């Protein structure tokens, strides 16, 4: 079973001052994770940490509104 999946959503951003950015092909990252499970696991751990922090911050903000 795949940890990463093809998403119908696209992320966009717009810089308001000169910015350096990188572009990553999601399909290639998924292939690399399939080939190297240690990489996939590490990527999943790091991504989930960010998601957890963001969800907790959102929860705190919502609780402050009450």
């Amino acid at each position: 079973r795949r940890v990463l999946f093809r998403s119908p959503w696209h992320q966009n951003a717009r810089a308001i001052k000169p910015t350096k950015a990188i572009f990553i092909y999601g399909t290639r990252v998924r292939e690399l994770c399939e080939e190297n499970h240690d990489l996939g696991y590490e990527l999943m751990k790091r991504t989930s940490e960010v998601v957890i922090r963001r969800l907790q911050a959102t929860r705190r903000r919502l609780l402050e509104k009450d």
Side-chain angles (χ1 to χ4, degrees):
R1 192 169 111 139
R2 290 184 178 176
V3 173
L4 301 174
F5 54 90
R6 190 170 301 206
S7 171
W9 303 284
H10 299 279
Q11 285 69 40
N12 295 307
R14 185 175 200 178
I16 57 174
K17 59 184 178 179
T19 304
K20 289 185 181 182
I22 61 170
F23 174 83
I24 300 172
Y25 282 103
T27 52
R28 184 63 184 130
V29 171
R30 187 173 56 246
E31 291 169 359
L32 289 170
C33 290
E34 290 285 337
E35 295 168 11
N36 182 336
H37 295 162
D38 290 337
L39 170 67
Y41 181 65
E42 189 64 31
L43 183 59
M44 183 211 45
K45 286 193 313 183
R46 292 179 185 214
T47 303
S48 64
E49 288 173 3
V50 172
V51 170
I52 289 168
R53 280 196 309 271
R54 290 180 180 183
L55 286 171
Q56 289 172 337
T58 300
R59 180 178 181 271
R60 282 191 299 273
R61 284 194 301 272
L62 290 171
L63 288 173
E64 289 172 0
K65 289 184 177 186
D66 288 343

